[in-house]
Amino acid sequence: MISFFNYMNVSISLFLVSILGIFLNQRNILIMLMSLEMMFLSVSFNLIFLSIHLDDIVGQIFSLLILTVAASESSIGLAILVIYYRIRNTIAVELTNLMKG
Amino acid sequence: MYLTILFLPLIGSLISGFGGRWLGCWGSSLYSTLCVFFSFLLSLGAFYEVGLCGISYHVILSSWLESGILKINWGFLFDSITVTMLIVVTSVSSLVHLYSIKYMETDPHVPRFMAYLEIFTFFMLILVTADNLLQMFLGWEGVGLASYLLINFWFTRLAANQSAIKALVVNRIGDFGLTMGILLIFWTFQSIEYSVIFPIAPLFENFSFSFMGANVHCITLIGLFLFVGAVGKSAQLGLHTWLPDAMEGPTPVSALIHAATMVTAGVFLIIRFSLLLEFSPSILCILLIVGSLTAFFAGMTGIFQNDLKKVIAYSTCSQLGYMIFSCGLSCYQVSLFHLFNHAFFKALLFLSAGSVIHAVSNEQDMRRMGSLVNFLPLTYSLMLIGSLSLAGFPFLTGFYSKDFILELTQVSIYNNSFYVSFSFWLGSMSVFFTSFYSLRLIYLTFLNNGNITRPLLKSVHESSIVMTLPLVLLSFGSLFFGYLGKDLFIGLGTDFWKGSIFVLPINNFFVEAEWVSIINKWFPFILTVFGILLASLINITEISKYFILKLYKPTFFLAFLLNKKWFIDILYNRIIVMPLLNFGYNTTFKALDRGFIELSGPLGFSIFISNWSKVISRLQSGLLIHYVFFIVVGVCFLFLILTQNSLMFSINPKMLGIFFILTFYI
């Protein structure tokens, strides 16, 4: 049972670290995308572990799906980033305040 | 016949009011005069049948209101009081109509004027013939409304508007008292019909209820409220201020309001409720005191008035004081007799004054008249008759009723009542004042040297026959009615009143008054003659100059005070009216309506919403990290709510609320 908590701890703390990485980070949008990737990884790690633990294949199918989704998502995100850089000449997050409420 | 008396003026009013455009000036005048005149003829018939033959009519037309125990009919009661009032109202009203045909000839709104006069008469008839209090109240309010319309007849004049509003509002104070009286009567007697209230009134002689710890005698309270109503309508001291201001209307209106109809309504109410008020000695005492004070006050004020109509207006106020304190002495029939006589000589005085004013091109100030006797001999003789009758000169109409009221007060010598002797002295003093100002009016207007400008003097002329005929008729009334009606109304043991007036045997001074000592009987007459002589002395001889030179300083303030009506109007304005208006504007309107209620209501809510919407929209700063922060916090918060019961911790709802509010301040 100890291994169960260890696995869970690893995936949850990875998730929390990536959340902190998203919103403690003031500057770099690349780091935000990386944190997002890390969040996907921790979720899919959790799914794989639980599919092993519960002896159910569905978790692994989901983690495969998440991998593809994450890949496509990060490619689109990077594409947006490139376009953004081409227009603004910077990728600092703190300057993206043109749309105020 | 009986209902026709009532409805002829109504029909006349409606037709001359709505159809005046087609009837024209003369048509509507003649039509409405004829309507009232026929009503007068019919009420003569009613007087014969009810008063002389002794039949009492009670006509119930239909049901008006039915709600539980409250049943009100359109009922018309014709008993002795009613038919007496009918004669007064319709006769004076028809003469006033006849008079105003010529008086208002050049006015562009004659049909409207006639319609108002007629509706006034109609409401007064409703008031006197009602058989229940609600219907009487209808007439009471209608009379007030019609007086508003009539005083305000020349509606382009600011003074007329103001005094009409004043008349209506001051009357409303009295009407509120009457309303309370009606409600209290219904609460006590479970009915507001005269035929139910009066027979069972003796059973309630000692009936009292507890109100906030105090034991209130019910009939006294009812009487007090009714008296407040009478004070408003009959212009007794306290609410009398509207009456002199009501002079802003045309002169026939003043004659109608002051002589026959409106001001007599309050006295009529008191007389009608004699069967109830007799059971409350304290109310009778209040009537006595207020009435005599009014007579004294108004008589004294009348001396120093310089407006021809205001002098007569104050004499009306004074005579109404006589009527009320005569009621206070439980001599209701004498009061009604005085009302009857007063209607004739006061209408005569007012219409003569109108004739004078008409002759001198609408000049009302007596100081700018004089020596009119050479130009208006007929008006002079008629006005002299009216004035002497008002002053109670022997064997004229006023003598029979007014001196009898004073004789009634003199029985205080027998029963040792302080209040009665109080009213005796005040009443006697006002006899002196009355004769003084009546003769002063005659001297200043007709006999003294003229102060009229020459162009005006050239155009002075006696009025036409249509205006003088009512005056002549009224002067016959002022000469003979007192003698003719004395035995019928107040003769010893007369059975004219039947059951309509009731006097407790213990209150009956009626017989004692016939046996007061001879010197007391002479006393009012001596005062009258003294007043006449003093007025003559001051005006004929040069003694007035002596007065002006030697007595000017010490008497100046008194004269000034009296000319300004004791400053009562100013006091009322300063103490009651202005603070009330200020309260209405500052407190009720600005502080409450526009302030507190609106701030806590729609205005405050809209300000709150717009402020908070700004605060909340400022949360969207455009910075991505802030959005991320809110997403994360929101998700956490969602988890908190979803898992509140299932997880190991349960959060306090108050803490949750505080947290929620705190999020707005981030």
Side-chain angles (χ1 to χ4, degrees):
Chain A
M1 287 303 286
I2 292 171
S3 63
F4 172 76
F5 282 112
N6 284 346
Y7 284 117
M8 289 299 281
N9 277 340
V10 166
S11 69
I12 285 172
S13 51
L14 207 58
F15 189 78
L16 287 177
V17 164
S18 58
I19 281 178
L20 286 175
I22 283 180
F23 77 89
L24 288 184
N25 162 39
Q26 299 280 326
R27 307 252 155 125
N28 203 338
I29 201 162
L30 267 177
I31 294 176
M32 284 174 100
L33 281 177
M34 283 193 257
S35 306
L36 212 61
E37 284 304 313
M38 213 159 87
M39 211 188 281
F40 280 117
L41 282 178
S42 68
V43 169
S44 74
F45 178 73
N46 203 5
L47 279 173
I48 290 166
F49 165 68
L50 285 175
S51 104
I52 300 294
H53 183 73
L54 299 174
D55 197 16
D56 190 357
I57 200 71
V58 180
Q60 293 174 33
I61 294 169
F62 264 114
S63 81
L64 274 175
L65 265 173
I66 283 172
L67 276 180
T68 52
V69 167
S72 55
E73 185 254 291
S74 61
S75 64
I76 291 171
L78 281 170
I80 290 172
L81 185 72
V82 169
I83 293 167
Y84 181 75
Y85 178 75
R86 204 167 59 200
I87 293 170
R88 293 287 303 266
N89 229 357
T90 175
I91 53 166
V93 185
E94 64 210 347
L95 298 177
T96 59
N97 56 357
L98 288 176
M99 283 169 63
K100 276 184 187 170
Chain B
M1 179 176 109
Y2 286 87
L3 288 177
T4 321
I5 295 174
L6 278 159
F7 288 114
L8 266 179
L10 178 65
I11 294 164
S13 165
L14 291 177
I15 288 180
S16 65
F18 290 112
R21 180 183 293 266
W22 296 281
L23 280 172
C25 166
W26 280 97
S28 61
S29 305
L30 282 177
Y31 182 73
S32 49
T33 310
L34 278 178
C35 274
V36 183
F37 184 68
F38 278 116
S39 174
F40 168 62
L41 289 183
L42 290 175
S43 45
L44 277 181
F47 187 78
Y48 171 74
E49 278 194 2
V50 176
L52 303 182
C53 301
I55 313 155
S56 200
Y57 275 95
H58 188 192
V59 187
I60 292 176
L61 212 57
S62 68
S63 174
W64 182 5
L65 289 177
E66 262 194 62
S67 169
I69 202 166
L70 178 72
K71 284 190 181 61
I72 298 166
N73 294 320
W74 286 104
F76 300 93
L77 177 67
F78 293 83
D79 59 358
S80 305
I81 305 175
T82 304
V83 291
T84 312
M85 290 297 291
L86 278 185
I87 292 286
V88 171
V89 173
T90 52
S91 64
V92 173
S93 174
S94 51
L95 290 178
V96 165
H97 273 81
L98 184 60
Y99 179 90
S100 34
I101 291 178
K102 196 71 187 169
Y103 189 87
M104 302 298 285
E105 189 184 31
T106 52
D107 199 279
H109 300 290
V110 174
R112 184 163 66 91
F113 185 73
M114 288 294 166
Y116 287 169
L117 281 185
E118 292 252 48
I119 203 77
F120 197 66
T121 314
F122 168 69
F123 277 127
M124 192 66 199
L125 293 178
I126 285 280
L127 196 158
V128 297
T129 56
D131 81 327
N132 58 60
L133 271 161
L134 197 66
Q135 199 181 328
M136 195 220 56
F137 192 67
L138 174 79
W140 185 275
E141 289 293 307
V143 167
L145 171 72
S147 80
Y148 172 79
L149 294 172
L150 279 172
I151 295 168
N152 206 1
F153 177 68
W154 289 316
F155 52 81
T156 48
R157 297 178 56 212
L158 179 64
N161 294 336
Q162 285 171 334
S163 47
I165 289 170
K166 187 175 185 181
L168 196 67
V169 171
V170 175
N171 266 307
R172 289 291 310 168
I173 300 172
D175 297 345
F176 175 71
L178 183 60
T179 318
M180 295 297 290
I182 292 171
L183 293 177
L184 198 61
I185 282 174
F186 181 68
W187 183 79
T188 312
F189 297 103
Q190 306 293 316
S191 170
I192 56 170
E193 288 196 28
Y194 295 157
S195 53
V196 179
I197 301 166
F198 295 144
I200 58 170
L203 299 176
F204 287 82
E205 191 180 350
N206 296 319
F207 177 72
S208 54
F209 63 91
S210 182
F211 180 69
M212 299 208 301
N215 231 12
V216 185
H217 186 216
C218 205
I219 287 181
T220 304
L221 196 63
I222 290 172
L224 198 64
F225 281 133
L226 294 182
F227 177 60
V228 170
V231 164
K233 209 52 124 188
S234 287
Q236 297 299 301
L237 195 63
L239 296 180
H240 68 280
T241 49
W242 68 270
L243 191 65
D245 284 6
M247 292 294 112
E248 290 298 332
T251 312
V253 172
S254 310
L256 203 58
I257 290 179
H258 288 224
T261 46
M262 183 148 164
V263 292
T264 58
V267 182
F268 171 78
L269 177 74
I270 300 289
I271 294 171
R272 172 63 88 192
F273 274 80
S274 65
L275 290 93
L276 195 65
L277 300 182
E278 272 304 296
F279 297 104
S280 167
S282 40
I283 273 303
L284 294 179
C285 188
I286 290 172
L287 286 179
L288 195 63
I289 289 170
V290 176
S292 55
L293 278 175
T294 309
F296 178 73
F297 160 82
M300 202 165 172
T301 316
I303 290 177
F304 284 92
Q305 297 300 312
N306 292 318
D307 190 311
L308 183 60
K309 283 169 84 180
K310 281 206 173 141
V311 174
I312 309 174
Y314 272 106
S315 83
T316 305
C317 202
S318 171
Q319 299 304 310
L320 287 166
Y322 274 113
M323 291 174 208
I324 290 286
F325 86 67
S326 166
C327 288
L329 289 164
S330 299
C331 295
Y332 303 95
Q333 63 273 57
V334 188
S335 176
L336 193 57
F337 185 45
H338 192 52
L339 195 160
F340 190 80
N341 296 339
H342 172 260
F344 290 104
F345 57 72
K346 193 48 60 72
L348 173 60
L349 276 175
F350 263 114
L351 296 183
S352 314
S355 179
V356 171
I357 292 166
H358 198 60
V360 296
S361 312
N362 300 328
E363 175 60 60
Q364 291 196 13
D365 200 325
M366 288 199 296
R367 291 169 297 186
R368 290 195 211 142
M369 293 179 187
S371 72
L372 287 178
V373 63
N374 302 314
F375 304 95
L376 307 169
L378 181 63
T379 311
Y380 166 69
S381 43
L382 296 173
M383 204 154 184
L384 188 66
I385 290 170
S387 288
L388 288 179
S389 188
L390 172 67
F393 200 77
F395 311 120
L396 296 184
T397 295
F399 171 72
Y400 288 99
S401 51
K402 192 169 154 185
D403 271 27
F404 193 65
I405 293 176
L406 288 167
E407 279 171 23
L408 286 169
T409 58
Q410 285 161 357
V411 298
S412 60
I413 295 155
Y414 298 111
N415 67 358
N416 266 333
S417 167
F418 167 70
Y419 302 110
V420 179
S421 67
F422 174 76
S423 73
F424 162 64
W425 283 111
L426 287 184
S428 302
M429 290 316 291
S430 50
V431 163
F432 165 70
F433 293 139
T434 306
S435 65
F436 184 84
Y437 65 65
S438 303
L439 265 293
R440 179 176 173 269
L441 187 145
I442 293 289
Y443 274 111
L444 281 177
T445 315
F446 291 107
L447 298 177
N448 280 0
N449 290 335
N451 286 327
I452 307 182
T453 53
R454 184 176 281 272
L456 213 62
L457 203 60
K458 271 186 187 167
S459 64
V460 171
H461 59 282
E462 195 75 73
S463 310
S464 71
I465 180 75
V466 183
M467 269 168 82
T468 45
L469 182 67
L471 294 183
V472 174
L473 292 175
L474 283 170
S475 77
F476 278 115
S478 311
L479 285 171
F480 302 121
F481 265 137
Y483 174 69
L484 293 176
K486 185 174 79 89
D487 279 335
L488 185 65
F489 288 119
I490 56 169
L492 202 55
T494 175
D495 66 342
F496 177 69
W497 303 109
K498 315 258 166 15
S500 54
I501 284 176
F502 167 74
V503 182
L504 273 185
I506 198 169
N507 287 340
N508 204 338
F509 302 136
F510 196 68
V511 182
E512 278 97 328
E514 301 281 351
W515 275 280
V516 291
S517 60
I518 199 79
I519 184 70
N520 281 333
K521 288 209 176 218
W522 276 97
F523 187 63
F525 174 65
I526 292 167
L527 282 173
T528 306
V529 171
F530 181 56
I532 292 173
L533 286 180
L534 193 64
S536 310
L537 193 70
I538 288 175
N539 284 295
I540 292 173
T541 65
E542 299 288 307
I543 203 166
S544 55
K545 283 173 184 158
Y546 175 81
F547 268 100
I548 289 169
L549 291 176
K550 292 279 158 49
L551 294 174
Y552 187 66
K553 281 210 170 125
T555 54
F556 176 75
F557 179 69
L558 183 69
F560 188 69
L561 189 71
L562 290 176
N563 183 257
K564 296 292 170 198
K565 308 148 193 170
W566 296 86
F567 289 116
I568 285 186
D569 286 78
I570 294 166
L571 273 178
Y572 274 2
N573 280 346
R574 296 257 169 88
I575 297 175
I576 300 173
V577 179
M578 287 313 289
L580 268 179
L581 286 178
N582 280 334
F583 177 81
Y585 182 67
N586 288 330
T587 310
T588 328
F589 179 63
K590 282 177 92 176
L592 284 179
D593 270 10
R594 301 287 308 277
F596 177 72
I597 294 171
E598 211 168 290
L599 268 183
S600 64
L603 182 70
F605 200 65
S606 64
I607 290 173
F608 174 82
I609 291 293
S610 69
N611 282 347
W612 272 102
S613 67
K614 269 177 211 155
V615 167
I616 290 168
S617 74
R618 222 182 293 136
L619 293 178
Q620 292 187 323
S621 57
L623 285 175
L624 204 56
I625 43 165
H626 289 176
Y627 294 158
V628 171
F629 172 77
F630 287 128
I631 289 167
V632 172
V633 167
V635 169
C636 291
F637 193 67
L638 193 68
F639 272 105
L640 209 64
I641 290 170
L642 289 180
T643 58
Q644 182 193 348
N645 296 322
S646 57
L647 275 185
M648 60 287 271
F649 63 94
S650 72
I651 203 155
N652 193 349
K654 284 174 191 167
M655 289 299 292
L656 205 67
I658 291 167
F659 177 75
F660 180 70
I661 289 167
L662 280 177
T663 53
F664 287 108
Y665 289 96
I666 291 165

